[in-house]
């Protein structure tokens, strides 16, 4: 049981990171009808910026400023590269975001240099041992931070005028514009918020070790989360992220026990965990092609 609970704590921490990225994906999709494949670049760039700011002003101030900087970058990207494409095919815009992702990641990667860089988090690999259950502090920090952000977002969408405007645009863009809502401003805000969420996820994904050139791959694991939850469901993105995080951690903990010595597919003794997000995604798609909480009528890319 202690081994399972330890794995569960890892899964909730990782799942919180996936959920933050997935929420960013969903926010842009609900506002514009496009999946932004630039989210991995924002995630990696956020961690790199914080790695430069943290030594100068401390982790917490550096993290806040780094997240705000990536939000501003995402806003600029929307204004310069996405805004002129409004009205074009969503497939074309999605391909543009792929190009943006490659360009931004390449530029950001140039700042990594040859020396290991870290975000300077105060947790590192420190753990708490509670009745035999090993809990990494960085996973608790990621889960608590994600919970605070999700609650703040829910309150923002429920009670603020801007949040209500974003919900109106997501529900019916033409009707919202007829009521005086600026869809252009909502698009820009959605991109800025999604970029900032990706940066937060990047910071926590980079805790406990040096930043690697493959850090951006964390954002790709969030894709099964939004497929599982539904492309247009914020709640689904949260549940999807936590689901794949927990499944990945639990299977990674036990797969060597399940297959070791069985003689059946010995490769699965070490490789089954990373496959779980995609296995679960395929299983959900076979049963509910629109995701567990998605809208059936959604046909946009």
């Amino acid at each position: 049981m202690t081994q399972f609970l330890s794995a569960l704590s890892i899964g909730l921490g990782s799942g919180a990171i996936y959920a933050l990225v997935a929420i960013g994906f969903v926010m842009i999709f609900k506002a514009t009808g496009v999946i932004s494949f630039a989210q991995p670049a924002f995630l990696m760039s956020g961690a790199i910026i914080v790695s430069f700011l943290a030594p100068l002003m401390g982790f917490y101030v550096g993290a806040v400023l780094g997240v705000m900087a990536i939000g501003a970058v995402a806003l600029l990207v929307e204004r310069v590269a996405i805004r002129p494409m409004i009205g074009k095919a969503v497939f074309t815009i999605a391909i543009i975001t792929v190009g943006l992702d490659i360009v931004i990641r390449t530029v950001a990667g140039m700042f990594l240099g040859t020396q290991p860089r870290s975000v300077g988090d105060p947790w590192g690999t420190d753990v708490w041992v509670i009745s035999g259950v090993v809990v990494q502090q960085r996973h608790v920090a990621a889960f608590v931070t994600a919970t605070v952000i999700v609650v703040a977002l829910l309150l923002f969408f429920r009670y603020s005028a801007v949040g209500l405007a974003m919900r109106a645009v997501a529900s019916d863009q033409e009707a919202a514009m007829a009521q005086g809502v600026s869809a252009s401003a909502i698009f820009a805000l959605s991109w800025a918020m999604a970029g900032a969420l990706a940066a937060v996820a990047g910071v926590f994904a980079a805790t406990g070790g040096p930043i690697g050139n493959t850090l951006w791959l964390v954002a790709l694991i969030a894709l099964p989360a939004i497929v599982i939850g539904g492309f247009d469901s914020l709640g689904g993105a949260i549940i999807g992220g936590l689901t794949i995080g927990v499944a990945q951690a639990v299977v990674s903990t036990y797969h060597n026990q399940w297959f070791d010595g069985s003689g059946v597919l010995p490769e699965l003794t070490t490789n089954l965990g990373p496959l779980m997000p995609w296995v679960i995604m395929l299983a959900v798609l076979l049963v509910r092609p629109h995701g567990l909480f998605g809208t059936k009528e959604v046909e946009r890319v």
Side-chain angles (χ1 to χ4, degrees):
M1 179 57 72
T2 57
Q3 189 178 29
F4 173 78
L5 292 177
S6 297
L8 182 64
S9 70
I10 296 173
L12 290 175
S14 302
I17 294 172
Y18 301 148
L20 288 174
V21 183
I23 291 172
F25 276 115
V26 171
M27 288 181 66
I28 292 179
F29 182 82
K30 285 175 71 71
T32 66
V34 175
I35 294 178
S36 168
F37 291 101
Q39 289 298 92
F42 296 142
L43 181 148
M44 183 172 174
S45 300
I48 293 175
I49 289 179
V50 173
S51 75
F52 281 93
L53 295 177
L56 301 176
M57 52 192 68
F59 171 75
Y60 295 104
V61 176
V64 171
L65 293 180
V67 168
M68 293 174 64
I70 292 301
V73 170
L75 176 62
L76 180 64
V77 166
E78 193 277 337
R79 293 285 91 176
V80 174
I82 303 301
R83 177 62 185 167
M85 299 301 295
I86 295 296
K88 307 296 182 183
V90 293
F91 175 77
T92 303
I93 302 175
I95 293 300
I96 288 176
T97 66
V98 173
L100 289 169
D101 174 69
I102 295 173
V103 171
I104 296 172
R105 276 196 293 110
T106 302
V107 173
M110 294 168 60
F111 290 91
L112 277 179
T114 57
Q115 299 298 319
R117 301 196 62 83
S118 74
V119 294
D121 63 286
W123 308 288
T125 56
D126 293 345
V127 300
W128 290 306
V129 180
I130 306 170
S131 300
V133 178
V134 179
V135 179
Q136 295 191 39
Q137 295 180 15
R138 61 194 181 105
H139 291 144
V140 175
F143 185 78
V144 171
T145 302
T147 301
V148 171
I149 290 175
V150 167
V151 171
L153 284 175
L154 292 176
L155 294 175
F156 171 75
F157 289 126
R158 177 67 178 84
Y159 295 107
S160 74
V162 178
L164 291 173
M166 294 182 73
R167 291 172 58 193
V169 171
S171 177
D172 191 328
Q173 183 177 322
E174 293 183 357
M177 293 176 66
Q179 295 298 317
V181 176
S182 172
S184 173
I186 297 302
F187 292 167
L189 181 60
S190 299
W191 270 79
M193 293 177 68
L197 288 171
V200 174
V203 171
F204 282 103
T207 58
I211 301 172
N213 280 314
T214 59
L215 180 65
W216 61 278
L217 292 173
V218 172
L220 294 186
I221 305 177
L223 285 174
I226 59 173
V227 174
I228 293 170
F231 281 99
D232 60 340
S233 172
L234 288 175
I238 299 167
I239 294 175
L242 294 176
T243 298
I244 63 173
V246 171
Q248 193 177 39
V250 171
V251 173
S252 294
T253 300
Y254 289 101
H255 58 182
N256 61 332
Q257 300 177 24
W258 295 338
F259 292 95
D260 187 29
S262 66
V264 179
L265 296 175
E267 294 82 3
L268 296 182
T269 59
T270 56
N271 295 323
L272 190 57
L275 297 178
M276 286 313 298
W278 311 99
V279 171
I280 296 174
M281 182 190 74
L282 291 174
V284 171
L285 283 176
L286 289 174
V287 180
R288 294 179 67 87
H290 52 280
L292 296 177
F293 305 98
T295 304
K296 290 183 179 180
E297 290 76 12
V298 171
E299 296 178 351
R300 292 173 290 189
V301 176

